[in-house]
């Protein structure tokens, strides 16, 4: 007989971590960028009150938070022209001075890392451990470039115009701020569009700290459709760096291809984990919780398992105990106010609308024949008494989602795993390549020769042997195959090469319409 869920203790908010606490700290630290009720846009080296601020709420518990001050197209175009003026001056600043300013920015980010992390918790729902990791990866990653930039930039020069950054909300620091600071270190002025769904205050604070050190940063908010002509098509832009979904990415790709503009477009793909002639089930059980970090709201998440049919019973015996033990809840809820931050695998999704969409997709898939193998219970989650939980989705595992379901061919960007059973190696590869290209994949097989034979046929930029792959840090390259990536690859020295000019006729490693070149 199933045991009833263990009764959860009454929880309270950890002392000093309320959104009001975080906002007061921002006002005290960067009064030039924050007002009592809003943040400002930064362009032409000045913080400005322009833009219409929209209401917003935290995904954690629907607490009202500051919304993005959305600019109109004309103002964004003025901001881009001003950034070009900054770029023309910055590209002539000697490298030692650029390095010193970026290093000073990193020192400031380090000093205020806990506030940056707290903002990430409230704005995008990251658990404390993962929020701190996002901040630290940005700082440590850029320091690696500061230390090694001389050889990377030898015989290269900055672009003719600033780099425009349009990124998703899930990694404001380790992806977006990291890229911006490396681009500036390489001699470019940088422009960033605030992600529409979250991360605004964290990004604003990071940009305020950089601007104080004289780094030429522009930060603007607005809808993608309204600002695309300025941030993508404007002739002043030297490079477009985009991280996001395939639909939006395809529109950006069309624009940059028409204009012949330098571009880095990271798009989604269905990252898969294959199981074939495998027996190390304890290792798989240990890694399953890590695959649910941040509720799988990341471009390198693994939402699809492709499992050899003969191994399905043993796979389930390893998988289900791990997924049943996932820790979900309010990222700041503790038993006593002075307790440490809770250890969670994930909190909410980015907003209630996304949570509803995902729940509806699961219901539809089951109605059309998918078999539910696991559904997490909200009774086991850690919530404050009476809190809004509309943005939370408990982990779900489905067997054989129907081809008509979005869960069959696209990443859910949430804590939903799907499993597909196969009988042959050909079926294994076909199922692992369901989305025409992916960023990462993994194949768990006992025989190294089998891995070496099958892995080259998996259409992912990185394929791990029994272990997950990630974007990587420092000198690890990153890109994608098929529709998961367009333009120059990044990571290590390639990130600097992507945002600088080399010798005439240079072919950058990347995935371009007329060629695909690995490093």
């Amino acid at each position: 007989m199933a045991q009833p869920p263990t009764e959860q203790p009454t929880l309270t908010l950890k002392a000093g971590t309320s959104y009001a606490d975080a906002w007061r700290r921002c006002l005290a630290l960067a009064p030039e960028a924050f007002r009592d009720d809003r943040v400002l846009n930064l362009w032409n080296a000045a913080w400005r009150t322009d833009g219409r601020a929209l209401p917003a709420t935290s995904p954690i518990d629907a607490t009202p938070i500051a919304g993005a001050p959305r600019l109109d197209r004309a103002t964004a175009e003025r901001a881009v022209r001003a950034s070009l003026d900054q770029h023309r001056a910055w590209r002539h600043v000697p490298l030692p001075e650029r390095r010193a300013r970026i290093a000073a920015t990193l020192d400031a980010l380090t000093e205020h890392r806990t506030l940056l992390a707290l903002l990430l918790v409230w704005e995008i729902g990251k658990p404390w451990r993962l929020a701190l990791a996002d901040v630290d990866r940005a700082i440590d990653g850029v320091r690696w470039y500061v230390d090694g930039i001389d050889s990377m930039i030898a015989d290269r020069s900055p672009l003719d115009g600033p780099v425009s950054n349009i990124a998703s909300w899930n990694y404001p620091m380790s992806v977006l701020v990291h890229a911006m600071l490396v681009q500036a270190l390489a001699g470019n002025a940088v422009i960033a569009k605030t992600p529409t769904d979250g991360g605004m205050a964290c990004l604003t604070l990071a940009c305020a700290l950089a601007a104080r050190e004289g780094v030429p940063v522009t930060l603007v908010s607005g809808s993608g459709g309204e600002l695309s002509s300025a941030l993508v098509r404007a002739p002043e832009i030297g490079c477009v760096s985009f991280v996001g979904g395939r639909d939006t990415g395809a529109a950006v790709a069309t624009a940059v291809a028409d204009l012949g503009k330098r571009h880095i477009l990271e798009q989604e793909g269905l990252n898969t984990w294959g199981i074939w002639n495998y027996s190390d089930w304890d290792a798989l059980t240990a890694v399953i919780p890590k695959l649910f970090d941040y509720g799988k709201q990341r471009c390198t998440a693994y939402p699809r398992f492709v499992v050899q049919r003969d191994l399905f019973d043993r796979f389930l015996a390893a998988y289900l105990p791990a997924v049943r033990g996932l820790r979900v809840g309010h990222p700041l809820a503790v038993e006593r106010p002075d307790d440490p931050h809770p250890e969670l695998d994930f909190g909410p999704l980015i907003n209630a609308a996304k949570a509803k969409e995902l729940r509806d997709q699961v219901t539809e898939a089951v109605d059309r024949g998918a078999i539910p193998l696991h559904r997490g219970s909200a009774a086991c989650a850690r919530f404050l008494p009476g809190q809004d939980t509309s943005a939370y989705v408990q982990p779900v595992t489905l067997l054989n989602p129907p081809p008509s379901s979005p869960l069959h061919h696209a990443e859910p960007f949430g804590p939903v795993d799907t499993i597909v059973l196969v009988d042959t190696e050909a079926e294994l590869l076909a199922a692992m390549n369901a989305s025409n290209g992916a960023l990462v994949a993994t194949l768990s097989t006992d025989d190294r020769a089998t891995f070496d034979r099958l892995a080259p046929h998996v259409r992912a930029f990185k394929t791990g042997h029994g272990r997950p792959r990630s974007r990587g840090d420092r000198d690890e390259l990153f890109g994608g195959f098929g529709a998961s990536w367009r333009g120059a690859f990044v990571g290590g020295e390639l990130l600097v090469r992507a945002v600088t000019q080399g010798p005439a006729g240079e072919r950058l490693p990347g995935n371009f319409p007329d060629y695909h070149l690995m490093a």
Side-chain angles (χ1 to χ4, degrees):
M1 181 176 178
Q3 295 295 317
T6 302
E7 184 176 349
Q8 296 291 321
T10 300
L11 303 178
T12 188
L13 193 68
K14 180 173 173 59
T17 66
S18 72
Y19 180 73
D21 291 328
W23 193 256
R24 281 192 294 270
R25 292 170 64 185
C26 290
L27 289 172
L29 175 60
E32 70 273 26
F34 292 83
R35 295 293 184 269
D36 287 341
D37 61 344
R38 63 180 292 166
V39 302
L40 307 186
N41 289 295
L42 171 62
W43 60 274
N44 198 19
W47 291 96
R48 303 171 183 272
T49 57
D50 46 16
R52 181 170 61 93
L54 299 181
T57 58
S58 169
I60 290 179
D61 58 5
T63 291
I65 63 175
R70 296 162 70 100
L71 296 180
D72 57 28
R73 182 181 306 177
T75 306
E77 289 171 348
R78 290 163 56 202
V80 169
R81 288 193 293 271
S83 181
L84 177 61
D85 293 337
Q86 289 180 298
H87 178 83
R88 287 170 171 165
W90 179 254
R91 71 195 308 261
H92 297 295
V93 172
L95 178 57
E97 183 176 345
R98 297 203 305 266
R99 182 194 289 113
R101 294 188 187 186
I102 298 299
T105 300
L106 297 177
D107 290 343
L109 294 175
T110 301
E111 181 181 356
H112 302 292
R113 63 188 283 270
T114 58
L115 176 54
L116 291 162
L118 183 57
L119 292 170
L120 289 181
V121 173
W122 278 108
E123 292 190 291
I124 63 175
K126 282 198 171 183
W128 182 250
R129 171 180 59 87
L130 299 177
L132 274 181
D134 192 18
V135 176
D136 291 343
R137 284 184 63 187
I139 296 168
D140 295 342
V142 178
R143 284 199 195 281
W144 183 84
Y145 284 93
V146 169
D147 293 340
I149 188 64
D150 296 84
S151 61
M152 299 181 199
I153 210 167
D155 302 320
R156 304 188 69 82
S157 60
L159 300 175
D160 293 332
V163 181
S164 176
N165 294 272
I166 304 169
S168 56
W169 42 265
N170 52 347
Y171 285 91
M173 292 296 298
S174 63
V175 173
L176 182 51
V177 170
H178 176 279
M180 293 165 61
L181 293 181
V182 175
Q183 294 159 6
L185 180 64
N188 304 289
V190 293
I191 304 169
K193 176 188 171 298
T194 301
T196 302
D197 287 323
M200 176 197 63
C202 177
L203 188 57
T204 299
L205 180 58
C207 287
L209 297 175
R212 286 181 180 179
E213 303 301 336
V215 180
V217 177
T218 294
L219 180 63
V220 295
S221 297
S223 71
E226 182 76 9
L227 302 191
S228 63
S229 63
L231 301 183
V232 175
R233 295 182 172 273
E236 294 90 346
I237 298 296
C239 176
V240 176
S241 177
F242 170 87
V243 180
R246 288 193 179 185
D247 292 343
T248 304
V252 174
T254 299
V256 295
D258 291 345
L259 299 168
K261 197 181 292 292
R262 183 77 63 93
H263 57 284
I264 306 162
L265 310 182
E266 176 187 330
Q267 302 171 139
E268 64 188 4
L270 184 62
N271 306 317
T272 58
W273 192 299
I275 306 287
W276 189 260
N277 291 340
Y278 180 69
S279 62
D280 192 358
W281 301 112
D282 288 343
L284 182 66
T285 299
V287 81
I288 291 299
K290 298 180 178 65
L291 303 184
F292 278 86
D293 274 357
Y294 194 35
K296 303 205 173 196
Q297 295 178 102
R298 49 197 175 94
C299 64
T300 53
Y302 287 83
R304 167 67 51 80
F305 286 90
V306 181
V307 182
Q308 186 177 1
R309 190 182 305 273
D310 286 346
L311 299 178
F312 184 46
D313 57 338
R314 280 161 281 182
F315 170 82
L316 283 184
Y319 172 90
L320 288 176
V323 76
R324 287 170 181 153
L326 291 171
R327 301 159 300 180
V328 184
H330 189 304
L332 300 170
V334 293
E335 293 184 36
R336 293 172 295 276
D338 58 348
D339 279 353
H341 292 85
E343 286 290 334
L344 300 176
D345 295 296
F346 62 93
L349 298 194
I350 186 58
N351 53 49
K354 173 61 182 177
K356 181 182 184 304
E357 174 190 286
L358 193 53
R359 285 192 291 266
D360 288 347
Q361 288 178 355
V362 169
T363 298
E364 181 181 55
V366 172
D367 287 346
R368 295 181 180 182
I371 301 170
L373 299 175
H374 171 73
R375 286 173 167 161
S377 170
C380 298
R382 294 172 54 91
F383 294 130
L384 297 178
Q387 81 163 77
D388 186 298
T389 61
S390 58
Y392 292 77
V393 173
Q394 301 304 314
V396 176
T397 307
L398 301 178
L399 176 65
N400 290 336
S404 60
S405 168
L407 298 176
H408 179 81
H409 54 77
E411 65 173 328
F413 234 62
V416 175
D417 276 347
T418 57
I419 300 173
V420 174
L421 303 182
V422 295
D423 296 297
T424 67
E425 290 182 354
E427 290 179 316
L428 173 80
L429 292 172
M432 292 187 71
N433 293 328
S435 68
N436 183 27
L439 302 175
V440 296
T442 291
L443 178 58
S444 289
T445 181
D446 291 345
D447 181 36
R448 180 73 202 198
T450 298
F451 175 82
D452 291 340
R453 177 168 50 82
L454 295 178
H457 300 286
V458 177
R459 296 282 290 163
F461 189 79
K462 298 179 181 181
T463 302
H465 184 193
R467 62 186 182 91
R469 300 305 310 272
S470 67
R471 288 182 64 94
D473 294 306
R474 300 175 175 85
D475 58 352
E476 189 171 354
L477 308 182
F478 192 59
F481 284 154
S484 67
W485 195 281
R486 301 173 191 265
F489 293 150
V490 297
E493 183 180 352
L494 291 191
L495 176 53
V496 174
R497 290 171 65 182
V499 295
T500 54
Q501 300 281 5
E506 177 185 42
R507 283 161 56 98
L508 293 172
N511 189 21
F512 295 92
D514 53 344
Y515 74 90
H516 181 100
L517 178 64
M518 298 296 290

